[in-house]
Amino acid sequence: MNDAPGDSRSARDPYPAYAAMRSECPVQAVASGASGRVSYLVTGYAEARQALGDERLSKDTAAFFAGRDTERRLHPAVAHTMLASDPPRHTRLRKLVTGAFASGAVAGIRPFITRLTDELLDRWPVGGTVDLVAGLAVPLPVMVICELLGMPEADRPKVRHWSAELFAAGRPDRGDAASHAVAAYMTGLIASKRLRPGDSLLDRLIAARDGEDRLDEEELVSLAVLLLVAGHETTTHFLGNAALALLRHPAATERLRADPDALPHALDELLRFDAPVSTSTFRFTTETLTLGETEIPAGVPVLVALGAANRDPERFPAPDRLDLDREATGHLSFGHGIHRCVGAPLAKAEAEIALRAVLVRFPDIRLAVSADRLAWRQTRLVRGLDALPVRL
């Protein structure tokens, strides 16, 4: 049994450790956390894809933790989102949300994303140094999702703070407090939109129907919180990781600068190369099952290492090489199956617009520090940089 990768070295570059584990066995028991509780870590591509689509792996966290002692005090709207549910509840909620997203939300907001990107880059000091994470990767996605949800501009800084607190590494008390604050805020925002309806995504969710079915108040608050948090935290790391990969591969950068229209295709390889979600959200076995060649008992968590699966040489030859000619659409960075990220088109639109603008406007952009000095966030779920200093 191994310890799951989680120290500072693996935060900087987890892929050698993942490769070693995969070569030993692509599905193996690991001791996770101080409790030493056993989980199973999946590092192989075929096994990860199987796990993500296997209905015997449940995402119902409420069922798993029922009756277990826990010090966490997350608000139910945060703890029991659509992402933490199984069919038929998940099927119903997903259908209503997908309908709202399909109303031209992404296409309609592209001009706003472009305008906001330009405004952020206008603040960058030409010839100087700037933190690409703080100056673009963090503010852009949070402003976009706040705009989509119809949040007043004055409220956006505190919403951004709450979301950051939810992911504060090693501080569950702060995350719990933030969950109650953001749920209370969303409850009030939904109430105000019922009185004064608009045309935002949140307004469409309030009005969403499937025959006689519609979202109740608790479901609305939960979905709003999920869209807010999932709608920008992962996109922030997508942008940061992709920018770093390009900065470390000058030939790829020059190629995209010469042909920016190649960016949409390149995004899949950038997502594969360094996934912003390192490990998928919580799953557990509802019965004994075999994953790959490993038998997993019932009632244990299964951690699907998306970043590891994307570097499996059985699926992607020479996986540690960034190859913009690679057909990488099979990557698992957005998940797979019924829980595949509903916001994937929005995330790719933001990344395409932002990276294109940076490459075109700053032809001499380069890292301001050596890559081994960059600090990475210490969380198992997401993989992203604390900061990315670049010289313009």
Side-chain angles (χ1 to χ4, degrees):
M1 183 185 300
N2 292 293
D3 291 324
D7 60 18
S8 59
R9 288 191 310 278
S10 66
R12 188 182 308 119
D13 183 9
Y15 300 109
Y18 281 142
M21 294 185 73
R22 189 193 311 111
S23 65
E24 180 184 328
C25 183
V27 182
Q28 56 183 279
V30 295
S32 56
S35 66
R37 186 185 65 203
V38 174
S39 302
Y40 280 76
L41 182 68
V42 183
T43 52
Y45 179 90
E47 294 81 6
R49 202 169 189 274
Q50 178 190 341
L52 294 172
D54 196 321
E55 63 184 17
R56 297 170 298 174
L57 283 168
S58 172
K59 300 204 76 197
D60 189 348
T61 53
F64 181 82
F65 288 103
R68 299 173 189 244
D69 290 334
T70 176
E71 296 180 358
R72 296 305 304 268
R73 295 294 181 267
L74 283 169
H75 190 282
V78 176
H80 305 144
T81 65
M82 177 179 74
L83 201 57
S85 65
D86 297 327
R89 179 174 182 264
H90 174 269
T91 307
R92 171 178 165 269
L93 295 176
R94 174 96 179 195
K95 188 172 184 179
L96 289 163
V97 174
T98 303
F101 256 105
S103 306
V106 175
I109 204 171
R110 282 185 72 97
F112 174 78
I113 299 172
T114 301
R115 184 171 72 253
L116 181 56
T117 299
D118 288 338
E119 290 173 0
L120 290 168
L121 296 185
D122 284 343
R123 304 172 191 171
W124 286 19
V126 177
T129 301
V130 69
D131 177 4
L132 188 146
V133 169
L136 179 66
V138 167
L140 178 64
V142 73
M143 290 178 182
V144 168
I145 197 63
C146 286
E147 178 76 9
L148 263 177
L149 292 173
M151 294 180 185
E153 284 193 35
D155 295 345
R156 296 177 186 183
K158 62 185 179 186
V159 169
R160 177 171 151 187
H161 170 73
W162 292 330
S163 181
E165 290 289 276
L166 284 171
F167 285 88
R171 292 302 304 270
D173 55 328
R174 285 164 50 180
D176 292 349
S179 74
H180 287 268
V182 74
Y185 172 81
M186 285 299 184
T187 300
L189 182 63
I190 289 167
S192 69
K193 286 187 174 294
R194 288 193 188 281
L195 295 174
R196 293 176 295 278
D199 61 355
S200 72
L201 174 58
L202 187 53
D203 288 289
R204 290 198 293 273
L205 287 173
I206 292 170
R209 288 183 176 276
D210 180 26
E212 293 300 310
D213 192 16
R214 66 183 303 169
L215 299 166
D216 63 32
E217 202 71 15
E218 184 178 311
E219 290 168 342
L220 272 170
V221 173
S222 181
L223 279 169
V225 171
L226 174 63
L227 291 171
L228 169 68
V229 176
H232 79 266
E233 183 75 18
T234 53
T235 307
T236 286
H237 300 313
F238 175 12
L239 268 173
N241 294 2
L244 175 61
L246 291 175
L247 288 166
R248 298 186 71 179
H249 295 81
T253 303
E254 288 307 315
R255 178 173 168 181
L256 292 176
R257 183 176 286 119
D259 181 17
D261 290 339
L263 252 172
H265 175 78
L267 291 178
D268 284 312
E269 172 64 356
L270 289 166
L271 280 161
R272 180 206 69 81
F273 184 74
D274 206 358
V277 179
S278 181
T279 306
S280 67
T281 48
F282 186 84
R283 285 171 168 78
F284 71 96
T285 51
T286 57
E287 60 183 79
T288 299
L289 58 89
T290 300
L291 201 55
E293 297 181 357
T294 301
E295 183 177 281
I296 305 176
V300 298
V302 174
L303 311 173
V304 183
L306 304 177
N310 285 340
R311 295 279 189 111
D312 187 341
E314 292 292 321
R315 176 61 178 81
F316 299 105
D320 297 328
R321 186 179 76 232
L322 182 71
D323 180 2
L324 299 188
D325 291 321
R326 190 193 305 271
E327 181 49 61
T329 53
H331 69 78
L332 299 177
S333 295
F334 289 129
H336 170 68
I338 63 170
H339 288 285
R340 188 179 190 276
C341 177
V342 72
L346 177 61
K348 293 182 83 170
E350 291 178 47
E352 177 200 340
I353 291 168
L355 292 173
R356 180 190 297 256
V358 169
L359 291 175
V360 170
R361 290 182 60 163
F362 303 100
D364 297 321
I365 188 171
R366 61 189 186 278
L367 281 173
V369 299
S370 62
D372 60 4
R373 290 180 56 195
L374 296 171
W376 292 84
R377 297 196 61 179
Q378 295 287 321
T379 70
R380 178 169 291 160
L381 180 63
V382 295
R383 170 167 166 77
L385 293 155
D386 284 328
L388 181 57
V390 294
R391 194 175 305 282
L392 307 176

